[in-house]
Amino acid sequence: MNTISVSIDSKPVQSFFMVVGVTFWIAAWYIFQSTNATTEFLFSLHDIQIESLASKNIDPNQLVLSGETLRDIATKFNNHSNFGVIGMIIAGCFFLLLTLVLSIFNVSVGNKVQASEK
């Protein structure tokens, strides 16, 4: 009788999980940095606009987008972005934890008959 032997080693899976976990962390860091840079740019642009209006003797209170509204929008943007960043960090931790578990236990699946079972 012919038998088919299958053996699955956890080392390639472990490497894949580590790459995925680190990728989640890098993406979370990038999104966090770009969110902060975007809001800082938005505030700088608003300040430049107010200075420009003041130099032309135009009342800055006539702006359609006031400073309070802009800060509310930026705060909501930051909060929603931070929820995504926290989720990505948790997902990265999950994959890195799986990597650690696979490296500690060295999971191997196979259907070879052991010598003691023959």
Side-chain angles (χ1 to χ4, degrees):
M1 176 159 112
N2 293 334
T3 60
I4 298 175
S5 177
V6 177
S7 179
I8 301 172
D9 190 19
S10 66
K11 290 298 177 187
V13 176
Q14 176 186 351
S15 300
F16 174 72
F17 283 165
M18 185 178 70
V19 167
V20 169
V22 170
T23 303
F24 269 119
W25 277 12
I26 291 171
W29 176 81
Y30 175 75
I31 290 172
F32 180 75
Q33 292 298 326
S34 45
T35 300
N36 286 340
T38 302
T39 54
E40 289 299 321
F41 178 73
L42 187 62
F43 292 143
S44 298
L45 197 60
H46 184 69
D47 292 341
I48 290 170
Q49 184 180 16
I50 288 177
E51 289 174 9
S52 173
L53 291 174
S55 70
K56 294 180 181 179
N57 293 329
I58 300 174
D59 185 21
N61 293 328
Q62 295 178 353
L63 290 174
V64 174
L65 192 61
S66 68
E68 292 176 17
T69 307
L70 183 67
R71 297 221 186 268
D72 288 342
I73 292 170
T75 301
K76 288 179 183 178
F77 176 65
N78 275 339
N79 287 341
H80 291 298
S81 175
N82 287 340
F83 287 141
V85 166
I86 290 169
M88 292 176 80
I89 288 173
I90 291 171
C93 288
F94 175 74
F95 279 104
L96 291 175
L97 185 64
L98 281 175
T99 301
L100 179 67
V101 167
L102 288 176
S103 70
I104 290 174
F105 293 110
N106 194 15
V107 177
S108 179
V109 178
N111 67 349
K112 291 184 179 179
V113 177
Q114 298 293 330
S116 62
E117 295 177 3
K118 289 185 179 180

